[in-house]
């Protein structure tokens, strides 16, 4: 009787939940023999998402009546990144005290006509799970907010207020002065000298013009910048035709509607400006050297102190990001690669790049050798940063100059393919991030009026040949070098010797004969 009841319960379980619920794992008799590739009977056919190999949502661009561009890229998710990019940066400060862009970055999202303080802005954004940030570079100022899609109206309203209606109160400007002074002090004390060297190499390469103007506010200008100076600058550069409202993760029509509501007729607090006041100077590459003698022995004290190092950066003129040669230069930069001698290796870390194979792997006393490529709308700079013990600076400089000369040789098929693959993978992986897509959309639309999609850029990268690398390198080596040096510079070769090495066939420095050592 008990056995019969047990069988009845088992059969009713099969009827209710199907055969999968009735499995005898101890023996194979109760387990259904169904192939994983065969569709199950009675189950609805699944509908899968499909891609056509191209980007499904292309970047949509609309220009409003006042000249403001609205650009958007749709992306699945309940959060969006929206911001305003302005064609304004430290390169436009020729007629003003240097440091205005640095001040505006620190003053961003402070009190406005609509919000009494920064705290009010942050509380408003928190209701939509949002955060805000402002970043300035040599040619662009970017105000950005990431928040829930349903808070788009509030976000665009807040951005309009933060960009066009800041109060710039005396106490806010005074707090900014303190923040700028602290940042300048921190810049000179931090163990990583890369930001300082980048500033120095630009000053050497473009002496006194455009992108060579200081990005960080010089200490002597901190007290010169006030509300009057800021308003004068904003009147010239913060006008609709020099702005892009960019958004990622939202519908284009919705963004355009918000832009019309909050940015089309908005009157800035500083009044209307005229295009005649805008500095349209083209970057003039000069080359040259900027040296800073500095005691680096106490930069990083502690249980494992960093040894005293001398840092050198040598650069040559490349090209603007609007030129066709920009892609071959990007591949060349990836091919040079490099990094620190203590960085962990592994796939994708560039351990097979030239600066690793030819420099760091062969010269154990070098602590760093890294290639950088800075590109702007009218010029560019490809440079190599290296660091070593102060007693071996001359040898280190010669190693770097030889690497520059060897760039002009024929690139191997395998290393070229590896560099192109690495560049494409880096591009695609970076563009997985919503804020990165936002910056890419905004910057491209601001500088060119449209956007090249990732698959288009990948096609251009694939077309780069060894002859393209040789051609752009030959062109680059004709320019005068730009040199930045930081630390103990007793053994630093003269600028003329570095220039002679980069003009020679083998990149060697002229021999020096000393009577006394």
């Amino acid at each position: 009787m008990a056995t019969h009841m047990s069988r009845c319960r088992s059969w009713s379980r099969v009827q209710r939940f199907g055969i999968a619920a009735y499995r005898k794992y101890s023996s194979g008799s109760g387990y259904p023999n169904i192939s994983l590739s065969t569709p199950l009977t009675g189950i609805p056919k699944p509908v899968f998402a499909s891609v056509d190999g191209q980007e499904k949502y292309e970047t949509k661009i609309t220009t409003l009546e006042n000249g403001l561009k609205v650009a958007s890229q749709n992306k699945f998710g309940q959060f969006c990144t929206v911001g305003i990019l302005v064609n304004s940066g430290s390169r436009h400060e020729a007629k003003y005290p240097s440091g205005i862009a640095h001040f505006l970055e620190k003053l961003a999202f402070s009190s406005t006509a609509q919000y009494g303080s920064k705290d009010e802005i942050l509380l408003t954004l928190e209701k939509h799970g949002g955060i805000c940030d402002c970043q300035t570079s040599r040619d662009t100022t970017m105000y950005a907010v990431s928040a829930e899609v349903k808070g788009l109206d509030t976000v665009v309203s807040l951005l309009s207020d933060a960009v066009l209606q800041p109060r710039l109160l005396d106490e806010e400007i005074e707090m900014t002065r303190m923040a700028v002074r602290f940042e300048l002090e921190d810049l000179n004390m931090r163990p990583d000298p890369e930001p300082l060297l980048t500033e120095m190499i630009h000053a050497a390469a473009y002496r006194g013009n455009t992108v060579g103007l200081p990005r960080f506010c010089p200490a002597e200008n901190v007290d010169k910048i006030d509300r009057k100076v800021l308003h004068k600058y904003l009147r010239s550069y913060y006008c609709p035709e020099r702005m892009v409202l960019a958004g990622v993760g939202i519908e284009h029509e919705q963004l355009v509607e918000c832009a019309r509501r909050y940015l089309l007729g908005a009157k800035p607090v500083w009044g209307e400006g005229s295009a005649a006041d805008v500095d349209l100077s083209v970057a003039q590459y000069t080359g040259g050297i900027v040296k800073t003698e500095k005691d680096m022995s106490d930069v990083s004290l502690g249980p494992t102190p960093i040894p005293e190092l001398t840092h050198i950066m040598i650069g040559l003129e490349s090209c603007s990001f609007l030129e066709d040669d920009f892609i071959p230069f990007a591949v060349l930069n990836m091919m040079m690669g490099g990094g620190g001698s203590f960085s962990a290796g592994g796939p994708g870390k560039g351990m097979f790049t030239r600066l690793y194979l030819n420099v760091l792997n062969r010269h154990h006393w070098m602590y760093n050798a890294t290639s950088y490529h800075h590109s702007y709308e009218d010029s560019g700079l490809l440079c190599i940063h290296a660091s070593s013990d102060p007693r071996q600076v001359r040898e280190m400089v010669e190693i770097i100059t030889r690497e520059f000369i060897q760039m002009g040789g024929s690139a191997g098929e395998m290393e070229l393919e590896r560099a192109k693959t690495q560049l494409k993978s880096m591009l695609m992986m970076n563009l997985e991030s919503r804020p990165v897509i936002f910056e890419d959309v905004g910057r491209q639309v601001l500088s060119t009026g449209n956007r090249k999609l990732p698959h288009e850029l990948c096609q251009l990268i694939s077309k780069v040949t060894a002859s393209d690398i040789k051609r752009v390198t030959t062109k680059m080596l004709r320019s005068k070098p730009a040199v930045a040096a930081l630390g103990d510079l007793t053994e630093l070769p003269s600028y003329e010797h570095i220039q002679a090495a980069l003009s020679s066939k083998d990149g060697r420095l002229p021999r020096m004969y000393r009577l006394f050592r």
Side-chain angles (χ1 to χ4, degrees), residues 89-102 213-214 233 279:
S90 59
R91 69 170 295 163
H92 300 108
E93 294 171 359
K95 300 177 184 176
Y96 302 88
S98 288
I100 290 176
H102 194 186
L213 297 174
Y233 177 86
D279 181 16

Side-chain angles (χ1 to χ4, degrees), residues 11-197:
W11 178 243
S12 63
R13 183 175 172 80
V14 170
Q15 286 180 317
R16 284 179 64 195
F17 300 111
I19 192 73
Y22 182 66
R23 291 175 177 167
K24 293 181 180 178
Y25 292 100
S26 56
S27 66
S29 58
Y31 196 86
N33 187 19
I34 300 173
S35 168
L36 293 175
S37 59
T38 307
L40 295 171
T41 54
I43 303 294
K45 189 178 179 182
V47 179
F48 297 106
S50 62
V51 291
D52 55 3
Q54 307 295 330
E55 197 147 335
K56 185 68 178 173
Y57 300 103
E58 294 195 1
T59 306
K60 295 179 180 177
I61 303 166
T62 300
T63 305
L64 302 186
E65 290 80 355
N66 62 353
L68 176 85
K69 290 185 179 68
V70 182
S72 74
Q73 176 89 27
N74 212 336
K75 182 176 169 64
F76 178 76
Q78 66 185 80
F79 277 79
C80 65
T81 299
V82 182
I84 293 175
L85 289 93
V86 190
N87 187 2
S88 155
S90 59
R91 69 170 295 163
H92 300 108
E93 294 171 359
K95 300 177 184 176
Y96 302 88
S98 288
I100 290 176
H102 194 186
F103 261 70
L104 290 173
E105 178 183 86
K106 302 298 175 195
L107 283 163
F109 296 104
S110 295
S111 64
T112 67
Q114 190 179 337
Y115 300 92
S117 67
K118 189 164 193 166
D119 288 344
E120 275 190 44
I121 290 176
L122 295 175
L123 284 169
T124 303
L125 286 174
E126 277 180 17
K127 292 174 185 174
H128 301 285
I131 54 170
C132 61
D133 186 30
C134 176
Q135 293 178 6
T136 58
S137 63
R138 297 182 189 278
D139 52 3
T140 311
T141 301
M142 181 173 65
Y143 299 79
V145 172
S146 286
E148 282 184 306
V149 176
K150 60 186 179 184
L152 179 65
D153 193 80
T154 304
V155 166
V156 177
S157 168
L158 189 150
L159 280 166
S160 171
D161 221 41
V163 175
L164 300 175
Q165 302 282 331
R167 287 184 183 173
L168 303 179
L169 301 173
D170 290 339
E171 54 264 34
E172 290 172 344
I173 291 174
E174 194 53 47
M175 286 292 289
T176 301
R177 288 193 181 115
M178 290 171 63
V180 167
R181 284 193 185 101
F182 174 79
E183 193 167 335
L184 292 176
E185 193 176 331
D186 176 64
L187 195 67
N188 288 303
M189 291 174 67
R190 64 171 64 180
D192 176 25
E194 200 268 324
L196 197 56
L197 279 167

Side-chain angles (χ1 to χ4, degrees), residues 59 61 63 67-71 83-89 91-92 135 137-143 237-246 321-322 377 438-452:
T59 306
I61 303 166
T63 305
L68 176 85
K69 290 185 179 68
V70 182
I84 293 175
L85 289 93
V86 190
N87 187 2
S88 155
R91 69 170 295 163
H92 300 108
Q135 293 178 6
S137 63
R138 297 182 189 278
D139 52 3
T140 311
T141 301
M142 181 173 65
Y143 299 79
Y237 290 96
Y238 276 47
C239 41
E241 58 271 19
R242 296 179 66 84
M243 293 182 183
V244 169
L245 174 67
F321 56 67
L322 300 175
E377 63 183 7
F438 156 76
E439 189 172 345
D440 183 50
V441 169
R443 284 182 181 274
Q444 285 202 51
V445 173
L446 189 65
S447 56
T448 66
N450 52 46
R451 184 193 179 217
K452 279 183 179 167

Side-chain angles (χ1 to χ4, degrees), residues 202-312:
H202 279 82
Y206 304 92
R207 193 170 291 274
N209 74 89
T210 58
V211 293
L213 297 174
R215 193 174 82 80
F216 299 103
C217 180
E220 63 271 16
N221 286 355
V222 173
D223 291 319
K224 293 179 185 176
I225 298 171
D226 54 20
R227 190 193 297 112
K228 186 179 177 182
V229 172
L230 292 169
H231 275 187
K232 187 181 176 186
Y233 177 86
L234 291 165
R235 196 176 297 120
S236 299
Y237 290 96
Y238 276 47
C239 41
E241 58 271 19
R242 296 179 66 84
M243 293 182 183
V244 169
L245 174 67
V248 175
I250 31 83
E251 294 293 337
H252 185 70
E253 293 72 22
Q254 199 179 352
L255 188 61
V256 171
E257 185 185 331
C258 290
R260 289 186 182 280
R261 190 179 305 136
Y262 297 111
L263 290 162
L264 189 55
K267 299 291 181 188
V269 71
W270 47 81
E272 299 293 335
S274 64
D277 298 328
V278 173
D279 181 16
L280 299 174
S281 303
V282 175
Q284 301 296 317
Y285 182 87
T286 60
I289 185 167
V290 173
K291 300 188 287 186
T292 303
E293 283 271 2
K294 189 179 177 185
D295 180 12
M296 306 285 281
S297 59
D298 59 349
V299 166
S300 178
L301 301 174
T304 53
I306 295 175
E308 182 183 356
L309 300 174
T310 295
H311 302 271
I312 308 291

Side-chain angles (χ1 to χ4, degrees), residues 336-500:
M336 296 309 295
S341 58
F342 295 108
S343 59
K349 293 290 179 69
M351 301 304 285
F352 288 94
T353 56
R354 285 190 181 184
L355 291 180
Y356 262 115
L357 293 176
N358 302 346
V359 179
L360 294 170
N361 289 359
R362 293 184 184 181
H363 308 284
H364 64 90
W365 45 268
M366 284 188 67
Y367 281 77
N368 191 8
T370 313
S371 176
Y372 296 96
H373 188 216
H374 306 279
S375 200
Y376 306 97
E377 63 183 7
D378 45 13
S379 186
L381 188 65
L382 190 140
C383 44
I384 295 176
H385 167 213
S387 55
S388 74
D389 185 278
R391 292 166 293 184
Q392 292 171 298
V393 168
R394 184 177 178 84
E395 193 178 346
M396 174 177 70
V397 169
E398 184 170 273
I399 288 165
I400 298 306
T401 54
R402 285 167 66 183
E403 283 304 311
F404 268 112
I405 295 298
Q406 285 168 18
M407 287 183 198
S410 57
E413 185 182 345
M414 186 179 288
E415 72 168 342
L416 181 61
E417 283 305 313
R418 184 185 285 117
K420 293 196 297 189
T421 304
Q422 195 173 352
L423 181 59
K424 285 188 277 191
S425 68
M426 186 179 288
L427 174 75
M428 299 307 288
M429 284 189 287
N430 284 338
L431 289 172
E432 297 256 325
S433 165
R434 191 181 62 249
V436 175
I437 300 172
F438 156 76
E439 189 172 345
D440 183 50
V441 169
R443 284 182 181 274
Q444 285 202 51
V445 173
L446 189 65
S447 56
T448 66
N450 52 46
R451 184 193 179 217
K452 279 183 179 167
L453 295 173
H455 69 267
E456 295 176 84
L457 292 170
C458 286
Q459 286 170 4
L460 292 172
I461 293 167
S462 298
K463 289 177 183 174
V464 174
T465 62
S467 61
D468 290 326
I469 300 295
K470 190 169 184 176
R471 176 176 50 79
V472 297
T473 303
T474 305
K475 175 185 166 187
M476 179 179 70
L477 287 168
R478 293 193 198 112
S479 63
K480 286 177 67 177
V483 182
L486 180 68
D488 180 352
L489 308 180
T490 311
E491 295 295 317
L492 179 71
S494 68
Y495 178 76
E496 290 71 25
H497 280 192
I498 295 172
Q499 192 172 2

